[in-house]
Amino acid sequence: MTLYHISIKKIIKHYTFSILVTSLLLSSATFSGCSLKNATGTTDTKSQEPISATAIKLNTAVTVTIYDSQNRELLTECMNLCDKYEKIFSRTASDSELYKLNHRGLTPVSGTKDTFQVSDSLAELIKQGLSYSELSEGAFDIAIEPLTSLWDFTAENPQVPEDKLIQEALSKCDYRNVSVNDNNEVTLKTDDTAIELGAIAKGYIADRLKDYLVSQNVKSAIINLGGNVLCIGGKPDDSSFKIGIQKPFADRSETIAVMDIKDKSVVSSGVYERCFEQDGTLYHHLLNPKTGYPYDNGLIAVTIISDQSVDGDALSTTCFALGLEDGMKLAESLDDVQAFFVTSDYEIHYTKDFQKEITVTETD
């Protein structure tokens, strides 16, 4: 049995996400470039080993594994697509389209005083982000960039920002100041409105990689963008992929649950991957756009299983932000979505009929 182990992902801050630990990642892998290699383990009916590419993209370890083709050009193109979309969605890369939009007073951008022409991809992702912002009534807010830019969880010695700065940033965070029309024109109602797509972009990118591979007749593959796992079909023998969810605050090899997955996306959000302790309090990266501080609602992780990875990405954040009761209600109200929530006592709470639709094994 090959087990694909998905870590609870890091979210919100500019593409620095957790690295997935799977049996496909070899300890000797070189992450400075794209490494193409055969993976050991499951073979297809022709005893043909899958091909796999691993590289650092989107500030994380990206792995694409194809089971029913030996065409390595497919892997190269997947990595190229990651580069393409990073130049659109990155909040911190000065040459990205989103960066230029957020810094419209300092960098050239096409548009009028408050309305700007953007690419199809950026317009589409902003629309999807706004839909989840509205659905959650602001618990998920794509205009949270003024706040997330204050919290540097990747610093050598991270510190809680001054409360005065947090309160100033909060006044600038409101998704209702963002709109986009069918002509790909984005309107930002105030000069200091800025967009953060880090909690949704990797899901969108995973979906685009899947679209490409399916267009090339790939029917069995796994796309892993640093913790966002998207399965194309199942294994060549028609069995399911085994996806293990990392136990929060434990070693990366420890799982809290293992699921059988076919042709679905699995995305998790949790409190422990990017965090620090100050004065005896743990601060994590899941920030509440109403208070400016990390959520403290009794949850430590949420996992979403969905058809589209972009939905799983947005919902894992949204359902966490809403808390156990409201997050459960939201997940259960949506078609083709299953979820489970891990509370601070390490109890797992499943959405209705979860275990009827998805085979899951809880681990100690």
Side-chain angles (χ1 to χ4, degrees):
M1 179 185 74
T2 303
L3 176 67
Y4 302 90
H5 181 194
I6 177 174
S7 300
I8 306 299
K9 75 182 182 77
K10 300 176 181 179
I11 59 174
I12 293 183
K13 282 276 288 184
H14 63 82
Y15 291 103
T16 304
F17 297 102
S18 62
I19 296 177
L20 183 68
V21 180
T22 78
S23 58
L24 297 180
L25 292 180
L26 304 182
S27 59
S28 60
T30 301
F31 293 129
S32 59
C34 181
S35 173
L36 303 182
K37 65 190 74 175
N38 287 333
T40 59
T42 304
T43 59
D44 64 11
T45 55
K46 297 180 181 179
S47 298
Q48 160 179 295
E49 290 186 338
I51 57 172
S52 182
T54 296
I56 292 296
K57 304 287 182 182
L58 316 176
N59 283 349
T60 192
V62 169
T63 298
V64 179
T65 304
I66 302 174
Y67 287 80
D68 59 349
S69 173
Q70 292 294 298
N71 184 357
R72 296 176 182 274
E73 292 182 3
L74 300 178
L75 301 173
T76 300
E77 181 57 24
C78 284
M79 297 303 171
N80 291 339
L81 286 171
C82 288
D83 292 337
K84 168 189 172 180
Y85 287 113
E86 184 165 24
K87 289 184 178 180
I88 298 174
F89 302 134
S90 173
R91 180 180 63 82
T92 57
S94 60
D95 61 344
S96 81
E97 186 178 5
L98 181 60
Y99 182 95
K100 292 176 181 177
L101 181 64
N102 284 341
H103 296 80
R104 50 201 175 275
L106 303 175
T107 59
V109 60
S110 175
T112 60
K113 181 181 179 181
D114 58 4
T115 300
F116 308 92
Q117 190 75 41
V118 301
S119 65
D120 291 345
S121 296
L122 184 55
E124 181 181 1
L125 192 55
I126 291 175
K127 285 180 182 178
Q128 290 177 310
L130 286 173
S131 70
Y132 281 103
S133 297
E134 293 168 357
L135 184 66
S136 67
E137 297 181 347
F140 177 97
D141 192 332
I142 66 166
I144 199 174
E145 191 277 343
L147 179 63
T148 58
S149 63
L150 288 179
W151 289 82
D152 188 357
F153 289 94
T154 63
E156 184 175 346
N157 183 29
Q159 299 288 322
V160 177
E162 293 182 22
D163 184 69
K164 178 182 177 181
L165 296 177
I166 289 176
Q167 300 310 316
E168 289 176 356
L170 283 179
S171 67
K172 305 172 185 177
C173 300
D174 189 340
Y175 71 93
R176 292 168 295 187
N177 288 331
V178 180
S179 63
V180 57
N181 63 25
D182 292 337
N183 295 321
N184 296 347
E185 293 175 329
V186 174
T187 297
L188 305 174
K189 294 181 181 179
T190 68
D191 291 339
D192 47 22
T193 297
I195 297 171
E196 164 70 78
L197 297 173
I200 193 172
K202 282 205 306 176
Y204 178 91
I205 296 169
D207 290 332
R208 301 292 76 76
L209 267 59
K210 176 181 178 178
D211 290 344
Y212 166 70
L213 290 175
V214 169
S215 76
Q216 301 301 307
N217 298 315
V218 171
K219 297 180 176 63
S220 177
I222 289 183
I223 299 162
N224 166 18
L225 303 188
N228 286 49
V229 172
L230 180 56
C231 300
I232 299 177
K235 296 179 184 178
D237 63 3
D238 202 38
S239 63
S240 299
F241 293 110
K242 299 286 185 180
I243 307 297
I245 305 299
Q246 182 183 332
K247 185 176 181 179
F249 297 105
D251 184 84
R252 289 183 184 275
S253 63
E254 292 187 57
T255 57
I256 195 168
V258 178
M259 298 175 294
D260 290 345
I261 297 294
K262 276 187 180 181
D263 212 35
K264 293 279 186 179
S265 164
V266 183
V267 183
S268 296
S269 294
V271 306
Y272 71 95
E273 286 279 7
R274 186 185 301 158
C275 59
F276 63 89
E277 185 175 319
Q278 183 173 318
D279 298 328
T281 299
L282 182 72
Y283 296 90
H284 61 79
H285 56 275
L286 291 166
L287 301 177
N288 185 338
K290 292 181 172 60
T291 68
Y293 291 88
Y295 279 101
D296 182 13
N297 56 15
L299 289 177
I300 57 176
V302 174
T303 295
I304 302 290
I305 295 88
S306 59
D307 292 336
Q308 299 292 316
S309 191
V310 68
D311 294 324
D313 214 357
L315 283 171
S316 65
T317 307
T318 301
C319 289
F320 186 100
L322 291 174
L324 178 60
E325 184 177 349
D326 290 340
M328 188 79 73
K329 288 179 181 178
L330 173 59
E332 290 181 341
S333 73
L334 302 172
D335 294 332
D336 301 318
V337 170
Q338 292 292 336
F340 71 79
F341 298 69
V342 184
T343 48
S344 56
D345 57 3
Y346 284 83
E347 289 294 318
I348 299 178
H349 304 260
Y350 296 94
T351 49
K352 182 181 178 181
D353 296 331
F354 184 104
Q355 297 191 66
K356 291 181 181 179
E357 298 187 22
I358 298 170
T359 300
V360 59
T361 303
E362 293 186 27
T363 56
D364 295 331

